[in-house]
Amino acid sequence: MKFNTKTIHGGQKPDPAYGAVMSPIYQTTTYAQDTPGGHKGFEYSRSKNPTRSALENAVASIENGNYGLAFGSGLAAIDAVIKLLKSGDEVISTSDLYGGSYRLFTAVFEKLGIKFHFVDMENTDNIEKFVNKNTKLLWVETPTNPMMNIIDIKGCAVLAKKYNLLLAVDNTFATPYLQQPLDLGADIVMHSATKYLGGHSDVVLGVLALKDKELADRLYFIQNASGAVCGPQDSFLVLRGIKTLHIRMQRHCENGRDIAKYLAKHPKIERVYWPGFKDHPNHDIAKSQMTDFGGMISFTTKGNNYEESIRIVENLKVFTLAESLGGVESLAGHPASMTHASIPKEEREKTGVVDSLIRLSVGIEDIEDLIADLEQAIG
Ligand SMILES: *Cc1c(COP(=O)(O)O)cnc(C)c1O
């Protein structure tokens, strides 16, 4: 099956009870047994629920994996991966990663004795310096947020193989429509399905996809033992979202390209961060591991004025000023005053999050309306 067919049919079959084409929402905790242990594969919904299983099968299919696991949020999915490790183990992580992942690593897991190195991974040689006998996991996020840096997944896979490390990739920004990390050598793919997989800004959920049975069994054990599972209603919403992932992503990419080009020509814009530009520092890697460049764009304005950028995001009318990303509607954010406000100015500026930086999650509205909105807001 090819990708667009997989988003609709991958891992799915009509429900055995009445032939329902969409998985019913099995809003139940428990399942009747004929005799002790005589059940139809489901005993208790923390361990397994048919709606969640339908979603997990779909996720495994679109990521070219064999196993999927769904959790109550993206962070709960990451939490399960880190619980593969034990005190004394070390992780090498992308430096400019999602703030919530950074908080989970440093404020929760470091206390439990796991050590994290946050490394600029744009050049894979940088990573090798941090490998030692305790290193167990490479945690890679690409493209990064909000600077849209690209990390070479294949290069990381070579390193992971050489030192016998697990390679996990947060594929939230790219989605499997653009990038399939398991095929590039990753062991685990993670998503905040809250974003593009769900696609409609109405559900918080996280997933993992993987190929290896032994690793899947260990993660399933953690999923059931820790219990951070998603409910059947939320599983249904993400399953429904996945069925249109390919057409949504196609439009996100088209609109993203037009807006990146529009901004690059605008006299008030200083710099546009979008991996589709030939002069993006990692454009060649982006081109080799992604089929297109997505709908996430960041830009700065000339003069780097904090108030000016606040005024721009406040003036937007079609773009909504909000956190999050990946929904059908266009969103705009100002990292310095929103997602990165708690990071000291000098620290955030080191990674490129300057006062005027604005991040766009370009939606799937008519491009003319989006550009007109930017035009009136930037002035
Ligand atoms: C949102 C996000 C997460 C966290 O997911 P939640 O569903 O909010 O828990 C992790 N990684 C990336 C890249 C994200 O954008």
Side-chain angles (χ1 to χ4, degrees):
M1 244 187 251
K2 291 178 70 179
F3 186 78
N4 296 347
T5 312
K6 278 189 178 178
T7 63
I8 297 163
H9 299 290
Q12 304 303 302
K13 45 186 183 309
D15 186 68
Y18 298 107
V21 167
M22 270 306 285
S23 169
I25 300 166
Y26 279 96
Q27 194 74 50
T28 186
T29 56
T30 190
Y31 306 81
Q33 309 191 4
D34 319 332
T35 180
H39 55 76
K40 300 186 171 77
F42 298 91
E43 292 168 274
Y44 182 62
S45 282
R46 169 165 32 74
S47 309
K48 220 169 151 200
N49 170 284
T51 319
R52 195 175 89 219
S53 296
L55 169 64
E56 292 174 335
N57 293 339
V59 168
S61 171
I62 58 175
E63 282 288 4
N64 292 340
N66 299 319
Y67 305 93
L69 292 164
F71 297 83
S73 69
L75 285 174
I78 301 174
D79 178 84
V81 174
I82 306 302
K83 284 176 177 163
L84 290 166
L85 309 180
K86 60 179 191 319
S87 174
D89 287 347
E90 298 191 10
V91 179
I92 304 174
S93 163
T94 305
S95 53
D96 52 341
L97 85 168
Y98 177 71
S101 312
Y102 179 81
R103 181 177 55 198
L104 176 65
F105 293 169
T106 55
V108 177
F109 283 109
E110 271 186 354
K111 272 200 315 215
L112 302 179
I114 297 169
K115 189 165 174 189
F116 292 84
H117 301 273
F118 297 95
V119 173
D120 176 358
M121 292 186 165
E122 279 177 86
N123 177 351
T124 15
D125 294 342
N126 273 348
I127 305 172
E128 199 158 5
K129 290 183 235 158
F130 292 87
V131 178
N132 64 41
K133 64 179 192 335
N134 297 323
T135 313
K136 295 288 154 60
L137 173 70
L138 294 184
W139 185 268
V140 172
E141 196 179 306
T142 180
T144 67
N145 173 31
M147 300 316 298
M148 308 304 296
N149 292 321
I150 302 291
I151 294 161
D152 178 3
I153 298 173
K154 255 191 196 158
C156 289
V158 169
L159 209 60
K161 199 158 221 139
K162 180 169 167 193
Y163 293 102
N164 199 22
L165 315 174
L166 284 174
L167 172 60
V169 176
D170 182 336
N171 204 25
T172 301
F173 268 38
T175 85
Y177 177 83
L178 297 176
Q179 169 174 288
Q180 298 183 314
L182 296 180
D183 288 348
L184 299 168
D187 300 293
I188 302 170
V189 170
M190 172 266 155
H191 280 275
S192 170
T194 311
K195 317 294 168 49
Y196 286 106
L197 297 192
H200 295 73
S201 306
D202 53 10
V203 57
V204 173
L205 193 145
V207 297
L208 301 176
L210 51 162
K211 289 199 192 223
D212 181 68
K213 172 151 188 356
E214 191 264 338
L215 189 58
D217 287 345
R218 283 167 67 203
L219 283 163
Y220 170 71
F221 180 86
I222 293 167
Q223 182 194 39
N224 185 44
S226 287
V229 293
C230 49
Q233 174 92 36
D234 289 352
S235 301
F236 175 87
L237 285 171
V238 174
L239 190 57
R240 176 178 161 134
I242 286 174
K243 287 173 192 285
T244 56
L245 177 67
H246 53 300
I247 46 171
R248 286 186 286 110
M249 285 308 293
Q250 186 181 350
R251 181 64 70 85
H252 283 297
C253 291
E254 287 166 12
N255 284 355
R257 172 176 282 101
D258 286 355
I259 287 179
K261 287 185 175 162
Y262 159 79
L263 290 170
K265 279 198 213 115
H266 196 290
K268 289 195 176 164
I269 304 300
E270 176 80 34
R271 211 162 148 198
V272 183
Y273 297 88
W274 179 69
F277 287 129
K278 285 205 176 65
D279 64 353
H280 181 286
N282 321 109
H283 175 71
D284 290 341
I285 291 165
K287 240 174 88 176
S288 73
Q289 68 187 20
M290 300 168 76
T291 54
D292 205 335
F293 305 105
M296 297 302 300
I297 299 168
S298 295
F299 65 94
T300 54
T301 45
K302 285 185 180 148
N304 191 30
N305 185 306
Y306 188 91
E307 284 73 30
E308 163 87 357
S309 279
I310 302 257
R311 187 190 61 72
I312 292 172
V313 293
E314 283 177 353
N315 281 349
L316 287 165
K317 295 190 170 64
V318 181
F319 282 83
T320 302
L321 175 59
E323 294 192 5
S324 199
L325 62 113
V328 290
E329 64 287 302
S330 292
L331 302 179
H334 180 241
S337 66
M338 296 166 73
T339 47
H340 293 60
S342 60
I343 307 172
K345 186 174 152 89
E346 307 77 60
E347 279 301 306
R348 66 171 161 79
E349 292 203 333
K350 270 189 216 156
T351 60
V353 182
V354 297
D355 283 350
S356 77
L357 189 79
I358 291 173
R359 190 192 78 176
L360 302 177
S361 170
V362 178
I364 63 171
E365 301 94 336
D366 280 311
I367 186 65
E368 294 82 358
D369 291 326
L370 296 179
I371 289 184
D373 194 32
L374 289 166
E375 184 78 22
Q376 64 80 23
I378 297 168

